[in-house]
Amino acid sequence: MTTMKQSKLGAVILVALLLACALVVTVSAAEEKNVVRTVAGEAQLKTINELYGKDITVLDYMEKVHPEHLAGVKDSIKENMAAQTMKWWGREPSVTDVSADRIVRPLRATVMVTASGYKVDYRTIRYSGTCRSSISNPSYIYVDAALINSQTGQTEASTSVSSSAGISQVSAQQDKLYPANGQYYTHAWGYTASPNYAEDEDTTPVFIFP
């Protein structure tokens, strides 16, 4: 009798665990709806490095490097991007860098970006970026994390995430396998583009690989 009760109890626990796992999968799928995740390929990395330092808008950058993040985005949001000058990492903007009708330093009070980068093991660097908005249900949020070789100034790897699902935080993380020996840092940049544009950035200290 005791064995039968234990068997029934075990079956109930197993069913509960399976239901819990199904719920977790459902929630994760719901969170990923209307979320775009990308890892830059060789062509995109080449474009990023070619564009670095040029006087372009945020919309120019997105159209040339990450058009996939603009799919289905409202024209009003694109207009906000077009009004902002791209602020390049490791380079302070000057008056001559921007046109008179574009803003040099967008408001950052509503957005916070954090970057992370470190050596995982003898073959791997892990880099990431997170963008958080203090405004509930932003119409669009984006973050880009770039692994940069501090000696050459070249972006060696990049990953990005965007969402138009009204979520207030997005994170992008990627492992770079077998990078060349050298000194690296992670730069993360993110923004919300509606109802008002706001951006922030963060850069990690330089670390040595391997």
Side-chain angles (χ1 to χ4, degrees):
M1 192 70 169
T2 301
T3 302
M4 184 177 294
K5 288 183 179 180
Q6 290 175 338
S7 178
K8 288 183 178 179
L9 179 60
V12 170
I13 293 174
L14 178 60
V15 171
L17 289 173
L18 290 173
L19 289 174
C21 290
L23 180 60
V24 169
V25 171
T26 301
V27 171
S28 298
E31 289 176 346
E32 285 296 310
K33 186 178 181 180
N34 295 322
V35 173
V36 178
R37 297 182 180 275
T38 61
V39 176
E42 291 300 321
Q44 287 170 304
L45 291 173
K46 181 180 178 182
T47 301
I48 291 171
N49 288 316
E50 289 175 346
L51 290 175
Y52 180 81
K54 295 189 183 311
D55 177 21
I56 61 174
T57 68
V58 170
L59 182 61
D60 291 333
Y61 178 86
M62 297 299 292
E63 287 179 336
K64 289 178 171 62
V65 179
H66 290 302
E68 65 275 11
H69 286 289
L70 296 177
V73 173
K74 297 177 181 178
D75 288 342
S76 59
I77 294 177
K78 292 181 181 179
E79 288 172 3
N80 284 342
M81 295 179 190
Q84 312 300 325
T85 294
M86 188 69 186
K87 182 174 181 290
W88 300 102
W89 50 93
R91 183 173 182 268
E92 289 298 321
S94 65
V95 176
T96 58
D97 288 334
V98 296
S99 301
D101 60 343
R102 302 212 298 269
I103 301 170
V104 179
R105 291 183 180 277
L107 177 67
R108 297 182 177 184
T110 58
V111 171
M112 182 175 71
V113 170
T114 55
S116 175
Y118 55 93
K119 171 185 171 181
V120 176
D121 54 35
Y122 71 95
R123 64 172 188 170
T124 312
I125 291 177
R126 180 166 297 160
Y127 65 101
S128 65
T130 297
C131 180
R132 301 178 181 86
S133 171
S134 61
I135 297 177
S136 299
N137 305 317
S139 298
Y140 186 84
I141 187 170
Y142 173 87
V143 69
D144 185 302
L147 179 66
I148 300 169
N149 185 314
S150 67
Q151 296 163 299
T152 65
Q154 296 287 291
T155 296
E156 300 292 341
S158 176
T159 181
S160 52
V161 178
S162 67
S163 175
S164 56
I167 59 178
S168 58
Q169 176 175 313
V170 289
S171 296
Q173 177 179 292
Q174 187 68 22
D175 287 351
K176 172 66 174 176
L177 296 177
Y178 301 108
N181 295 350
Q183 299 178 13
Y184 294 88
Y185 65 90
T186 301
H187 177 269
W189 163 66
Y191 63 86
T192 57
S194 180
N196 299 307
Y197 184 94
E199 72 170 19
D200 191 21
E201 61 179 328
D202 188 34
T203 301
T204 67
V206 172
F207 54 91
I208 298 174
F209 183 87

